[in-house]
């Protein structure tokens, strides 16, 4: 834990977007079971990516970091390390991706979970895996698996987490024979499923999508083995870039973020259109996005497909005149913190006008914010949002914990806040 007081920070004018951890997770999982080594060019190795690397190595892959590359030597499916201890840290993606993968490989793995991760939901993924042959049990922070799932017809309710869908798509791609995966319910965070499909396509194992867009026909490893592309550069992260881009909208000067692909399937690319709707000046040139300050006005936002943006959107709402309403945000109560409660506590502490319901935030913005000590709840997105909000306060702002940003953006304070 590291307490930090922000007083006259020198916010950056230009930054390079960190590598998308969502894209990196997926690329690492595919590379670890491909037919040949893969080199990933990556500029940010955060705690969550380290967790995925650590777990894949425990299963038998070899991953070496040097400068800005991760060299992945895959492990053959028949040589998977059995009964391995997989330390997931606090990474929900690591757990939810590798649980189905280990089930497909019959690894009988033990997953160690830290922080709030043991409390975050695994249903209905748990039940679907058990219905296909896996046995799951818990001992405090440990999640223990035994048995093996086979090819067949799988169904998952997609309104809880897109990570369940990703985990199953990866897992079923490792089984020899074909399977189907059908999604029920309202699909949450659909762009993240698209990222998984893109990754599988790059490794030569793209599923066939049914005409309804809800059924995936996975060919299986015998027909479509994961084939290394040799090298891969996961794209820049719009989730991380949202914080410096927000600074450009509410701070003293324009901010440019380079290394972004505006044709990306990332859902959090929506930050560009949302900033434009707020009234900020957004310009795009090649891989660079520049956001300049302007008069901002509150807007209505449905966050079902972009939950990770909610904390920083609430800060922008506090800077904008009028009312900003963010709905469809119930899942934020199950993240690294209860993010709706955390943002309510933070903005209320510094004089913001905010109310919450079970799944929504309403911010009456345009009012000066005060300084003081605020709780970040050990949540990286709350800490970064609070650091951005310091540009709005009329007195120093003290953050209770800043070390937590290492989960997704380790260089945030060096590159963005104290540049």
């Amino acid at each position: 834990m590291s307490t930090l007081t922000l007083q006259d920070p020198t916010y950056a004018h230009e930054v390079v977007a960190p590598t998308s951890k969502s894209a990196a997770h997926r690329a690492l999982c595919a590379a670890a079971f491909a037919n040949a080594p893969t080199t990933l060019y990556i500029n940010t190795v955060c705690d969550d990516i380290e967790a995925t690397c650590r777990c894949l190595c425990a299963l038998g892959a070899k991953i070496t970091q040097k400068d800005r590359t991760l060299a992945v030597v895959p492990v053959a499916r028949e040589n998977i390390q059995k009964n391995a201890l997989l330390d997931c840290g606090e990474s929900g993606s690591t757990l939810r991706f590798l649980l189905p993968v280990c089930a497909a490989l019959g690894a009988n793995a033990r997953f160690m979970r830290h922080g709030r991760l043991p409390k975050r939901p695994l249903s209905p993924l748990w039940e679907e895996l058990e219905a296909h042959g896996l046995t799951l049990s818990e001992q405090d922070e440990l999640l223990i698996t035994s048995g093996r799932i086979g090819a067949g017809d799988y169904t998952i309710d997609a309104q809880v987490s897109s990570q369940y869908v990703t985990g199953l798509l990866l897992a079923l791609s490792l089984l020899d024979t074909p399977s189907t995966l059908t999604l029920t319910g309202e699909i949450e965070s659909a762009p993240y499923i698209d990222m998984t499909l893109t990754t599988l396509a790059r490794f030569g194992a793209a599923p066939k999508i049914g005409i309804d867009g809800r059924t995936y026909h996975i060919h299986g490893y015998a027909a479509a083995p994961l084939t290394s592309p040799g090298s891969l550069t996961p794209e820049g992260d719009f989730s991380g870039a949202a914080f410096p881009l927000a600074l450009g909208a509410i701070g003293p000067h324009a901010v440019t973020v380079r290394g972004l692909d505006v044709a990306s399937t990332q859902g959090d690319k929506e930050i560009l259109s949302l900033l434009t709707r707020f009234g900020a000046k957004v310009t795009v040139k090649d891989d660079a996005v520049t956001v300049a300050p302007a008069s901002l006005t509150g807007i209505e936002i449905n966050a079902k497909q972009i939950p990770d943006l909610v904390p920083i959107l609430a800060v922008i709402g506090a800077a904008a005149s009028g009312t900003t309403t963010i709905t469809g945000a119930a899942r934020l109560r199950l993240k690294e913190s209860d993010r709706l409660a955390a943002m309510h506590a933070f903005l209320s502490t510094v004089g913001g006008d905010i109310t919450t319901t079970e799944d929504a935030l309403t911010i009456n913005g345009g009012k000066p914010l005060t300084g003081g000590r605020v709780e970040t709840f050990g949540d990286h997105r709350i800490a970064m949002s609070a650091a951005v909000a310091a540009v709005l306060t009329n007195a120093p702002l003290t953050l209770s914990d800043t070390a937590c940003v290492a989960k997704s953006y380790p260089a945030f304070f060096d590159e963005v806040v104290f540049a």
Side-chain angles (χ1 to χ4, degrees), residues 200-215:
L200 287 172
R202 287 173 176 166
F203 282 82
K208 181 181 178 181
I209 305 174
I211 193 169
D212 62 355
R214 288 179 166 270
T215 302

Side-chain angles (χ1 to χ4, degrees), residues 289-300:
V289 177
T290 300
V291 179
S295 178
L296 305 181
T297 304
I299 60 175
E300 294 184 358

